[in-house]
Each structure stands twice: as C-alpha cells, then as structure tokens.
C-alpha cells in the first residue's frame, strides 16, 4: 500500500513539476516585491513623523504594534523563501526522493514497475528466493 500511495502522490511527475514551477515563480515575485514593500514601509514611517501632533499616543502605539507584526511576517517570509529556494535547488539537482523521481526517469519507471509487479504478485512481499 505504501508504494501505491507513493505512485498516487507522485503520479507521472507532471503535477509535481507544475507545483515546483509555480513555487519558483511565487518566490521570484516575492523576491522582486520585497524591496519595494520595505521602501514603502520606510517611506510611511518618515511620513508619519510629519503627523506627530495629529496622531494620538494610542494611534501611534497601535501603528507600532502593526509594524512589529509586519516585520515578523517579513522575517518569516524571508526564511520560507530561503527554504523554498533550497528545496527547489535540491529537487532540480535530483537530490532526495522527489528530485530523483523527477530528474532520473529510470528510477520512476523502476518504482512503477515494482508496484505493478507487486500488484500482480503480492506473495513476493512475503516470499524470498
């Protein structure tokens, strides 16, 4: 059943390749947009200094709480981007199970053949020559 599940999960690899391409494009977009978002945040803070007398202390406190949250989200996003890029690089290089299945077609074909053989001859899992 484990091999069946593996084949169902991987399929012919097209879905996984499509997912990796989408992930790569998302990471590229975030990498492209992040400097712009950071500049906007910095510009917003400079503009807020001009409104020093208009905002109440409570408004300022709420704003800084929000900015702290944004900062934490950006930190986590950068970590996720690094991890995602590392995962993509390893997969493209054929490292790990998913990478090997995607890059080395013979491994995929061998696994597919093994599952087919075990379906037709389930006793082979229990019997050793």
């Amino acid at each position: 059943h484990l091999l069946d599940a593996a084949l169902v999960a991987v399929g012919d690899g097209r879905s996984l390749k499509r997912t990796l391409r989408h992930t790569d494009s998302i990471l590229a977009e975030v990498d492209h947009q992040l400097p712009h978002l950071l500049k906007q945040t910095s510009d917003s803070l400079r503009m807020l200094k001009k409104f020093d007398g208009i905002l109440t202390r409570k408004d300022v406190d709420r704003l800084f709480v929000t900015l702290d949250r944004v900062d934490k989200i950006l930190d986590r996003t950068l970590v996720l981007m690094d991890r995602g890029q590392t995962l993509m690089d390893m997969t493209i290089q054929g490292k790990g199970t998913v990478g090997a299945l995607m890059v080395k077609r013979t491994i995929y074909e061998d696994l597919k053949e093994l599952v087919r053989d075990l379906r037709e001859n389930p006793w082979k899992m229990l019997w050793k020559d």
Side-chain angles (χ1 to χ4, degrees):
H1 296 305
L2 179 60
L3 293 174
D4 288 335
L7 281 180
V8 168
V10 174
D12 62 1
R14 283 184 261 163
S15 176
L16 187 56
K17 286 179 183 179
R18 187 174 52 252
T19 300
L20 289 173
R21 277 195 306 274
H22 289 306
T23 303
D24 192 38
S25 66
I26 289 168
L27 290 172
E29 182 64 24
V30 169
D31 189 44
H32 175 75
Q33 293 292 330
L34 196 56
H36 177 69
L37 292 171
L38 292 173
K39 183 182 180 321
Q40 279 184 326
T41 302
S42 177
D43 290 347
S44 296
L45 285 173
R46 273 195 295 282
M47 192 169 68
L48 281 175
K49 288 180 182 179
K50 295 177 183 179
F51 294 100
D52 189 29
I54 298 172
L55 298 174
T56 67
R57 182 65 195 167
K58 185 177 178 180
D59 293 333
V60 172
D61 289 344
R62 286 177 35 206
L63 181 62
F64 278 110
V65 166
T66 301
L67 289 174
D68 284 341
R69 288 180 185 158
V70 168
D71 188 47
K72 288 176 185 174
I73 290 169
L74 287 174
D75 286 344
R76 286 189 293 233
T77 301
L78 291 172
V79 168
L80 287 174
M81 283 177 52
D82 283 344
R83 288 181 183 168
Q85 189 62 53
T86 300
L87 179 63
M88 292 271 307
D89 291 343
M90 290 176 62
T91 302
I92 290 168
Q93 293 168 9
K95 295 181 181 176
T97 304
V98 173
L101 286 169
M102 285 186 57
V103 175
K104 299 171 186 160
R105 185 70 180 178
T106 56
I107 291 175
Y108 169 75
E109 293 298 330
D110 289 346
L111 181 60
K112 190 174 169 182
E113 175 62 25
L114 175 66
V115 170
R116 186 197 58 73
D117 187 40
L118 288 174
R119 280 185 186 149
E120 292 174 5
N121 306 294
W123 56 268
K124 286 185 176 183
M125 287 188 60
L126 304 173
W127 191 266
K128 184 176 180 181
D129 288 336

